[in-house]
Amino acid sequence: GAPQNIAPDASPPLLSSLQVDQLVEASVPDRVLHFVELNQPQLLRAIPVPGRYERVRSALAHARQIGLNGMRDLVNFVCVDLIYGRRMQTEPEIGALLQRVAQSRMTLDEALPLFP
């Protein structure tokens, strides 16, 4: 039955829109990691399982810095980050392309084919 300390007709707690946004945002790394594991598992093989979440979370922080928000862009960015690794921060050509994405001068989909 119902827990002793909650009345059976008690209303569920209501979350503010900020709390809902925070819950959704907190689930993004798990969702992106899941999509990568399903669709591009070879990109994760070299990363020990315990480190995968943090690697995705780090890539997502970079994606957010350049203004990416949609799930497709976030997954694609994480995949590219897994492919290019440190080159994402050190390769001038990649930096220039990401800057154009950040400035809304091109989409990530337009930038990806131009990566070296």
Side-chain angles (χ1 to χ4, degrees):
Q4 299 291 343
N5 58 348
I6 298 177
D9 60 345
S11 298
L14 294 176
L15 300 174
S16 70
S17 58
L18 174 62
Q19 289 170 316
V20 170
D21 290 347
Q22 289 171 330
L23 282 172
V24 170
E25 187 59 32
S27 73
V28 170
D30 289 313
R31 290 178 23 224
V32 169
L33 181 56
H34 178 72
F35 286 132
V36 175
E37 287 171 336
L38 282 178
N39 298 301
Q40 299 293 329
Q42 72 280 4
L43 297 180
L44 296 167
R45 283 197 190 113
I47 303 168
V49 172
R52 292 178 181 179
Y53 178 87
E54 186 56 39
R55 184 68 165 49
V56 167
R57 205 173 69 67
S58 174
L60 286 171
H62 188 197
R64 297 292 195 195
Q65 287 174 345
I66 63 170
L68 299 178
N69 291 305
M71 186 56 65
R72 180 170 181 240
D73 279 347
L74 294 174
V75 171
N76 286 341
F77 186 89
V78 167
C79 287
V80 170
D81 187 81
L82 289 167
I83 292 166
Y84 283 84
R86 296 267 321 133
R87 290 177 62 199
M88 289 288 282
Q89 284 81 34
T90 61
E91 184 103 13
E93 194 172 342
I94 293 173
L97 289 167
L98 294 178
Q99 185 65 29
R100 292 179 69 191
V101 171
Q103 295 168 344
S104 299
R105 293 176 33 218
M106 68 175 12
T107 66
L108 183 63
D109 284 344
E110 292 167 338
L112 292 178
L114 303 175
F115 273 46

